[in-house]
Amino acid sequence: MLRINQLIGFGGRQAATPSVATLSYIDSTGSSFSSTITAPAAINAGDLLILVDSGRNTVATPAEVIPSGFTKFDEYVDAGLFYRVTWSYKIADGTEDGATLTGMLAIATISKICYQFRGNVSITGISQFSKVVQFTSSDPTAQVVTASGGAVPLIVLVYYNSTGNISPRTFSPAKDGEENDNNDTGVVSNAWLAYKIYNSSPADVTVDMDDEGDRNLIYSFYLQVT
């Protein structure tokens, strides 16, 4: 399918911009106990950068800080527990390789995870669907991301956060990969972002976690990419 933009090409024809047909995961980074995170090292213009940034204070909710050039597309705030999660994205211009991205500063906990995805052509935008958020002191209930109704290509994203180590991190059908806030999937971590790309035949995804501490979060949705 072709999307037609507003430019007029040779011979008076409108210039056609090809739509994104396939997506690929490229890289991811993580950061904990810091207001900053380092962007992936090899970013092309037209890549999609997704950043989840969570923080908790002891006396007041952390102030929202969205990195320069990024656009916020979602958030969750629990003012009573002084907790905030923000989601932002950027369509890269190719100058972001290894850049320092500045986000929230919090006292009790801070976790940041950045993902890089690439289309077969330059990505121009995203749309969010099937959002479910649960933040509880007990065992969260399973969530279903209704991606089967989405238009491909799409990405299912699930963020797990707790005061304790999160294991297992249920994701079915199986996730394509995950990253944690320490940028090392082999270490104990209390924040993980898992993903699954559907370039065809999208399916609903069930996600869950155990009671891992006194603050347990599951935050799930999918993004359609254009």
Side-chain angles (χ1 to χ4, degrees):
M1 180 181 293
L2 296 180
R3 292 187 302 107
I4 306 301
N5 63 22
Q6 298 301 311
L7 297 179
I8 302 300
F10 293 107
R13 293 183 178 181
Q14 289 181 314
T17 302
S19 298
V20 178
T22 59
L23 288 170
S24 300
Y25 162 82
I26 302 299
D27 201 1
S28 55
T29 58
S31 168
S32 60
F33 305 108
S34 175
S35 63
T36 64
I37 183 172
T38 301
I43 299 172
N44 292 347
D47 286 355
L48 172 63
L49 304 179
I50 298 289
L51 176 67
V52 57
D53 188 0
S54 65
R56 183 175 61 84
N57 280 334
T58 54
V59 294
T61 306
E64 177 187 290
V65 180
I66 304 301
S68 177
F70 280 67
T71 300
K72 185 178 77 170
F73 67 89
D74 203 24
E75 71 172 349
Y76 172 79
V77 177
D78 189 314
L81 293 176
F82 314 126
Y83 183 69
R84 182 189 298 274
V85 183
T86 61
W87 295 84
S88 60
Y89 79 99
K90 182 179 184 182
I91 307 302
D93 59 20
T95 65
E96 298 87 355
D97 293 5
T100 298
L101 309 177
T102 300
M104 283 191 293
L105 176 63
I107 297 171
T109 61
I110 319 175
S111 296
K112 294 174 173 61
I113 301 172
C114 182
Y115 266 88
Q116 176 192 4
F117 298 101
R118 183 170 295 161
N120 61 303
V121 296
S122 293
I123 294 167
T124 59
I126 61 170
S127 300
Q128 182 189 26
F129 298 91
S130 189
K131 167 186 163 182
V132 182
V133 184
Q134 187 177 14
F135 187 49
T136 177
S137 60
S138 58
D139 186 3
T141 56
Q143 297 177 6
V144 177
V145 184
T146 56
S148 63
V152 294
L154 62 82
I155 311 165
V156 177
L157 290 169
V158 182
Y159 184 56
Y160 308 85
N161 195 300
S162 179
T163 51
N165 182 44
I166 306 169
S167 180
R169 298 173 296 280
T170 302
F171 195 117
S172 179
K175 70 194 82 172
D176 290 341
E178 61 184 3
E179 179 63 274
N180 64 30
D181 58 346
N182 290 309
N183 197 25
D184 180 352
T185 55
V187 303
V188 171
S189 178
N190 65 351
W192 296 81
L193 181 58
Y195 77 95
K196 186 173 184 66
I197 294 173
Y198 282 106
N199 287 318
S200 63
S201 303
D204 291 347
V205 174
T206 300
V207 300
D208 200 2
M209 64 179 281
D210 294 339
D211 182 357
E212 305 291 9
D214 59 351
R215 298 176 187 88
N216 302 296
L217 173 79
I218 306 181
Y219 201 139
S220 64
F221 55 84
Y222 71 88
L223 297 176
Q224 289 181 179
V225 178
T226 55

